[in-house]
Amino acid sequence: MIFDDQNPSVPPSGSPEPSHHRRRRSSSGSESSGRRRSGSSSSFREAVRLDDPPRSRTDGNAKAWLWVLGLLLVATLGFTWFLQQERPTSRPLQGEAPSTKLAPFIDPILAPLETGVTGYSSEGLADLQAEFRLEGEKTGPDDREVYGTAATMAQILQEALEDRERHMQRLVKLGVPLAGMVPDRQARTDLPETERRRLELAVAVSWQRNSGTYRNRVEELWYRLLRLEQGRFRPGSAPRPEEPAETSSQ
C-alpha cells in the first residue's frame, strides 16, 4: 500500500501527452505561422503598391496640356480669320498699270553701248517718277506700295540712263562712232591704236559691270511690282508675269 500513487491526476512521466494538448499547440503554431505569412504578404503588396508609378496623375496632366494646346490653336485660327475678315478688300485701280509704263525703258537703257542712244531722257524718267509718287498719295495704304515700288524702279532707271550717257561720252571722246551721238571734234585721234582700243575696252567693261548691277535691282523690283499689280488693274493693262524674262533677254 505504501507504493500506491498518492496523486493519481498527474500522469506518469513516460505516458504520452493527451491529444487535446497537441491539437492546441499545433493550432497556435499554425496561427502564428499564418500571421507571419499574412504579415509578410501584406508587406510585399504594400511595397509593390508603393513602387508603382502614379499613372493616373501623369495621364491627367497630359490630358490637361492637350486641352490647353487645343484651345490655343482654336483661338489662333479664330483670330487669324477675324483679321482677314476685318481687312478691307483692295479695290481695282484706275488707269494704266505702272509696269506697262516702265517696261519700254528697261532694255534700251541697259543695252550695250554699241546700240547707241536710247531715245529716252533723264527728265522723262524724273517726270514718270513724280507721277507715280503723286498717284500713291491719292490712294490708300494698300495701293501706295504699288506706286512706291514703281517710283523706285523709275529712279533706278534714271540713274542707269545717266550713267550710260556718261560712258557713251567717254567713247565719243576716244573717237568711237556711236549711233545717235555727235562725233567729238576734240576726240583723241593722236592716241596709238592699241591704247585707244585698250581705253575703249575699259569703258565697255565698266558699263557692263554697272548695267548688270542696275539690271539685278530693276528685275527684283519688276517681279515685286507684278505681284502687287496682280488683280488690281483692268485685264490687259499690265503685262503677263512671263514677259519680264523675255524683256530682259532681248
Side-chain angles (χ1 to χ4, degrees):
M1 296 298 291
I2 60 176
F3 297 102
D4 293 339
D5 190 358
Q6 300 297 324
N7 191 5
S9 62
V10 179
S13 60
S15 61
E17 185 180 0
S19 60
H20 64 276
H21 291 291
R22 289 197 302 271
R23 286 195 300 270
R24 187 178 298 113
R25 282 197 300 271
S26 62
S27 62
S28 62
S30 61
E31 290 175 359
S32 61
S33 62
R35 283 194 298 269
R36 286 195 300 271
R37 285 195 299 271
S38 62
S40 60
S41 61
S42 62
S43 300
F44 176 75
R45 285 194 298 269
E46 292 177 357
V48 173
R49 192 181 301 113
L50 291 175
D51 292 338
D52 290 339
R55 297 181 180 178
S56 59
R57 184 178 301 175
T58 304
D59 295 341
N61 292 335
K63 292 179 179 179
W65 277 110
L66 289 176
W67 274 103
V68 172
L69 292 177
L71 291 176
L72 289 176
L73 179 61
V74 171
T76 302
L77 293 176
F79 185 68
T80 303
W81 177 84
F82 174 77
L83 290 180
Q84 291 178 352
Q85 295 297 322
E86 290 295 322
R87 184 178 181 180
T89 57
S90 300
R91 60 179 179 83
L93 297 175
Q94 301 296 327
E96 191 177 11
S99 58
T100 305
K101 298 180 179 181
L102 290 170
F105 293 91
I106 299 175
D107 282 339
I109 292 177
L110 301 179
L113 299 177
E114 292 79 4
T115 59
V117 296
T118 62
Y120 301 111
S121 63
S122 177
E123 293 77 10
L125 283 170
D127 294 340
L128 188 60
Q129 178 183 345
E131 176 186 341
F132 290 149
R133 298 196 184 279
L134 182 61
E135 290 292 334
E137 294 176 358
K138 296 178 181 179
T139 58
D142 294 338
D143 305 328
R144 199 166 297 156
E145 187 177 3
V146 177
Y147 294 102
T149 303
T152 304
M153 187 174 173
Q155 179 181 358
I156 295 175
L157 288 173
Q158 180 185 0
E159 295 174 0
L161 179 59
E162 294 173 354
D163 193 8
R164 175 188 176 86
E165 291 176 350
R166 286 193 296 268
H167 281 77
M168 294 178 66
Q169 289 292 338
R170 294 175 187 173
L171 290 180
V172 170
K173 288 181 179 180
L174 292 174
V176 178
L178 294 175
M181 296 289 293
V182 179
D184 190 357
R185 296 180 179 180
Q186 298 179 354
R188 300 289 304 274
T189 57
D190 57 334
L191 291 174
E193 183 65 18
T194 55
E195 181 68 13
R196 189 182 66 81
R197 296 289 297 177
R198 186 185 67 82
L199 294 175
E200 179 182 348
L201 180 61
V203 173
V205 171
S206 175
W207 169 247
Q208 183 180 5
R209 181 179 61 252
N210 293 359
S211 64
T213 303
Y214 292 130
R215 185 175 294 276
N216 291 336
R217 297 170 61 188
V218 166
E219 287 184 351
E220 181 181 356
L221 292 171
W222 173 265
Y223 287 106
R224 178 184 177 186
L225 182 60
L226 289 183
R227 288 194 299 268
L228 294 172
E229 291 178 351
Q230 188 174 6
R232 309 294 300 280
F233 293 87
R234 296 190 311 272
S237 62
R240 296 187 302 273
E242 62 269 19
E243 286 188 8
E246 297 177 358
T247 302
S248 61
S249 62
Q250 292 178 354

